[in-house]
Amino acid sequence: MGRGRRMLAVLTGAVALLGGLLVPGVATAADEPTVRQLLEQCEQGRTDVCEFHPSGAPHVYRGTYELAGGAQNCSEGTSTRVIRWESSQSTTNSVGVTINAGVTLGEVFEAGYELSFQQEWSWSTSKADEIRHELGPYQAVDIFAAPMREQVTGTYEMHFGDPYYGHYYWYVHNVTIDGPSSQPAWDVKVEGVAPAC
């Protein structure tokens, strides 16, 4: 297809999806693919081009504390316990389609991320450690761990050799990928709880 014809197709109505919502006034919902349908075209290799373009720098934040271990002392004396704990974190996304390591959508995201930020994306992380803690008579504790995480929001851009739902170019905007930070710093807290003695 000639360049002029492709440009004409773009100028006469390349459609954008905003977080799964159609831009008003473009076409009826029945005439448009869903976000899932579009991303599946990329995943199944049915596009000429499929790229991920971050729209800004990663947002790094402290993740949610999750229960990672615990111990209790059901005796009348004080006891010092070595409490081993382990926590794992993985990558999620905002579109309900599988975007992770080993699938095309994940590889496309990873390539765009690495090109933009010159670092590798961390798909998952786990941490195992131990804490020495003194427990009084009939006391118990839970250990909670939270890693640093990061979010990246951007656009999947897809080009088709033949019109797909009437257009050669499609975009899925505002896709947010949320995963462990590539330089994780785990924070751990210990909280007293009621023992189950």
Side-chain angles (χ1 to χ4, degrees), residues 14 61 106 158-159 191:
Y61 68 99
M158 286 155 280
H159 299 182
E191 293 185 357

Side-chain angles (χ1 to χ4, degrees), residues 4 22 40 47 100 131 147 179:
L22 295 174
E40 283 176 349
T47 60
N100 57 29
I131 292 176

Side-chain angles (χ1 to χ4, degrees), residues 172-187:
V172 179
H173 294 288
N174 297 330
V175 178
T176 298
I177 312 295
D178 187 307
S181 173
S182 58
Q183 301 276 326
W186 292 76
D187 190 47

